[in-house]
Amino acid sequence: MAATQLFITYFAMISAIMLSAFGELSVDFYDEVCPQALPTIKVMVEEAIALEPRMGASLVRLHFHDCFVNGCDGSILLDDTPDFIGEKTAAPNNNSVRGFDVIDQIKAAVNLACLGNVVSCADILAVAARDSVVALGGGSYDVLLGRRDTTTASRDAANTNIPSPLLDLPDLIANFESHGLGLVDLVALSGAHSLGFSRCLLFRNRIYNETSTIDGDFAASLQAVCPPSGDDDKLAPLDESPVSFDTAYYQDLVESRGLLHSDQQLFKGDGSLAGELVQKYSGNRDAFWADFGTAMIRMGNLSPLTGSDGEIRENCRVAN
């Protein structure tokens, strides 16, 4: 009996080692090594958002833009080095993606709480995105953990893989499919635009040239903020409640008040499946939150580095 129990214990240990080696993500990855990791991230995110509510949108966006470039590996956080040009100055990120200092603060607090460097920057991005959604009134979802950090980054890959706000629906669908994500993922994840702001540069063409697909009063109100030329960095909210994770984004699309071209492409009033999903989410908060959470989990599982691949960075801006 003792020998049998010993074998079972040994088998369980080997199974655990093999599971780690094969790189399975899990919700309880840090439960043993650092049970204070997730509570620490939550507190830090809540403090950052209390100081600047807009930061919630920025932290969600960091996770999205990280995952769409060679997987969820923390590459977006790396500064340039003599060996590579990183993703921070890629067209979709330059003068746009922000919150790097908040991630630095979270990483330092987590390292202190864990008495060492055991939580990856990629996992911090994933958890901070979820905690931002919850802090701004959205529904929670489980985050799978166990990602490790890459040691390199690519501006060219960021320019190629992050979907542009100027894309038409077929190109948006193709971009998401290239990452293993479907139409429901596209429409649900676009709901992250329930939070945050966009630069005049990115919506100027829509408010001056897309007169057939934009509400006239809405366009006029935006023209007062964003002139035909200049003032590229002037900001406008992505929906009418930019610091509340609600369904106003989808309601705006139904009313032809989507700020970005790519947003309004999801709803054209033509009976498409994308349009049906927009209408569904516009009137059903729980359905939106459920599909958004599922899509975030799917996105967070894009090509993670696990097991012995990559590393856990001490400083999220540089490789160890």
Side-chain angles (χ1 to χ4, degrees):
M1 185 67 177
T4 302
Q5 290 177 332
L6 182 61
F7 174 78
I8 291 173
T9 302
Y10 174 77
F11 181 78
M13 292 175 59
I14 293 298
S15 296
I17 293 171
M18 289 180 65
L19 185 63
S20 176
F22 282 112
E24 295 293 332
L25 302 182
S26 65
V27 296
D28 58 357
F29 189 84
Y30 294 109
D31 283 5
E32 294 295 330
V33 66
C34 184
Q36 290 304 309
L38 270 61
T40 300
I41 296 172
K42 181 175 184 291
V43 168
M44 295 295 292
V45 167
E46 290 173 346
E47 289 180 355
I49 291 174
L51 288 173
E52 183 190 2
R54 181 186 167 202
M55 185 54 64
S58 299
L59 295 176
V60 173
R61 194 158 184 251
L62 275 176
H63 181 45
F64 183 96
H65 282 217
D66 180 44
C67 289
F68 264 62
V69 184
N70 298 323
C72 308
D73 57 8
S75 59
I76 194 171
L77 302 175
L78 287 169
D79 290 337
D80 295 349
T81 75
D83 297 319
F84 64 81
I85 300 176
E87 299 164 24
K88 293 180 178 178
T89 55
N93 297 331
N94 195 33
N95 296 320
S96 179
V97 171
R98 56 197 291 275
F100 299 106
D101 54 339
V102 173
I103 296 298
D104 291 341
Q105 294 164 15
I106 295 173
K107 176 63 174 173
V110 169
N111 283 357
L112 182 63
C114 296
L115 303 179
N117 181 37
V118 298
V119 180
S120 70
C121 301
D123 274 351
I124 287 174
L125 287 178
V127 176
R130 188 271 311 279
D131 290 347
S132 294
V133 166
V134 174
L136 294 172
S140 188
Y141 55 90
D142 290 331
V143 178
L144 300 180
L145 301 166
R147 301 168 191 81
R148 289 166 65 85
D149 299 320
T150 185
T151 58
T152 189
S154 170
R155 183 171 65 183
D156 289 342
N159 281 327
T160 300
N161 289 293
I162 297 173
S164 165
L166 306 179
L167 292 182
D168 293 330
L169 182 59
D171 292 327
L172 288 168
I173 292 172
N175 180 282
F176 271 65
E177 286 180 344
S178 73
H179 293 91
L181 300 172
L183 181 64
V184 175
D185 299 312
L186 165 61
V187 180
L189 289 172
S190 295
H193 284 179
S194 173
L195 303 175
F197 296 76
S198 181
R199 298 164 64 212
C200 169
L201 175 68
L202 300 178
F203 61 84
R204 174 180 286 121
N205 184 69
R206 172 152 168 73
I207 64 175
Y208 287 104
N209 298 319
E210 297 182 13
T211 55
S212 64
T213 65
I214 189 170
D215 176 80
D217 291 339
F218 180 60
S221 69
L222 292 169
Q223 288 168 6
V225 176
C226 178
S229 62
D231 286 336
D232 288 352
D233 293 331
K234 284 290 186 69
L235 297 176
L238 286 161
D239 78 0
E240 62 189 39
S241 53
V243 294
S244 179
F245 196 79
D246 52 28
T247 61
Y249 166 77
Y250 297 106
Q251 294 164 10
D252 286 347
L253 297 187
V254 173
E255 297 172 1
S256 299
R257 297 170 69 88
L259 182 65
L260 302 177
H261 175 82
S262 58
D263 289 331
Q264 197 61 57
Q265 283 287 297
L266 301 179
F267 186 85
K268 303 177 186 179
D270 57 2
S272 68
L273 178 55
E276 290 178 0
L277 287 167
V278 168
Q279 285 189 308
K280 174 184 175 182
Y281 297 152
S282 71
N284 190 329
R285 182 194 67 180
D286 291 339
F288 164 47
W289 285 355
D291 286 355
F292 179 82
T294 299
M296 287 291 279
I297 293 168
R298 283 169 51 79
M299 184 186 76
N301 203 37
L302 294 179
S303 305
L305 298 173
T306 55
S308 59
D309 293 331
E311 64 181 18
I312 300 175
R313 284 187 228 132
E314 179 77 27
N315 178 343
C316 290
R317 295 175 181 263
V318 296
N320 293 342

